[in-house]
Amino acid sequence: MKPQDLQYTLDWIAIRELVAEYGQAIDFGKDTGDWSRWVNVFTPQVTADYSRLFEGEPVTMAREQMAQVGGNALAAFSRVQHATANTVRTHFKGDTEAQVMAYADVGHFFSLGGVPQEWTVVIRYTHDLEKTPEGWRIRRVMLDPIHFRGNPLGLDLVKGKRLV
């Protein structure tokens, strides 16, 4: 695939849209309880590598299980906001495989004793993509936290700690 090809341009646009949808679909899932948009950004089997935030090992699962992963991680927050800054790099590995890196500021909002709180994490996502009959989908996602700001209790909440 060459950069001047029309297909290259169409794929590049589709990949940028997919990366934006990844974050927007999480926000939509948290706001509405409908995680189907987020589930649909993945291939039928997806590897989620959140080990740099949660520790442990990458996990491969059916994409439908990702709804539970997202719902559980965000249960303690009233809202979240993914501001995907840009696609840092798209590397095509062929006509049906690519890797893309993108940065995002992810705000997590919660209340502590009736006082609004915010915890934000700056993340670099690395997505391994596959072009499927459904279009480009994420086969593997790696979340690499770069910086945290705001109330540090947010990190404990995303890891499963709950306020009484």
Side-chain angles (χ1 to χ4, degrees):
M1 188 176 308
K2 297 178 185 171
Q4 51 274 62
D5 289 349
L6 175 59
Q7 190 59 54
Y8 171 92
T9 302
L10 294 172
D11 286 338
W12 186 80
I13 291 168
I15 287 169
R16 290 182 68 85
E17 288 294 313
L18 177 67
V19 170
E21 179 65 3
Y22 175 90
Q24 296 299 306
I26 293 171
D27 299 348
F28 182 80
K30 175 60 185 164
D31 289 349
T32 67
D34 178 359
W35 289 90
S36 62
R37 279 180 55 189
W38 196 48
V39 165
N40 287 326
V41 304
F42 301 110
T43 56
Q45 290 290 308
V46 59
T47 299
D49 184 353
Y50 300 133
S51 61
R52 294 179 183 190
L53 183 63
F54 296 115
E55 298 156 359
E57 297 295 320
V59 178
T60 300
M61 66 189 86
R63 66 179 167 192
E64 291 78 13
Q65 293 174 275
M66 289 297 287
Q68 184 177 358
V69 170
N72 288 346
L74 301 177
F77 300 102
S78 56
R79 302 287 303 266
V80 292
Q81 178 189 10
H82 284 71
T84 305
N86 57 359
T87 302
V88 176
R89 177 182 65 95
T90 301
H91 173 69
F92 287 98
K93 296 180 176 187
D95 292 341
T96 61
E97 291 187 41
Q99 184 178 72
V100 62
M101 294 172 62
Y103 288 99
D105 271 23
V106 184
H108 300 75
F109 306 95
F110 60 102
S111 181
L112 188 59
V115 178
Q117 304 289 313
E118 177 181 351
W119 173 70
T120 298
V121 56
V122 179
I123 295 170
R124 181 178 53 236
Y125 287 109
T126 302
H127 299 293
D128 291 338
L129 308 178
E130 181 179 320
K131 192 172 188 180
T132 72
E134 299 174 301
W136 286 97
R137 296 293 183 264
I138 298 168
R139 181 180 60 233
R140 182 178 189 278
V141 56
M142 185 188 67
L143 180 152
D144 185 10
I146 296 169
H147 177 74
F148 304 105
R149 63 180 178 267
N151 188 329
L153 179 60
L155 180 58
D156 292 330
L157 294 175
V158 83
K159 289 182 176 183
K161 182 177 181 177
R162 298 298 175 249
L163 302 173
V164 180

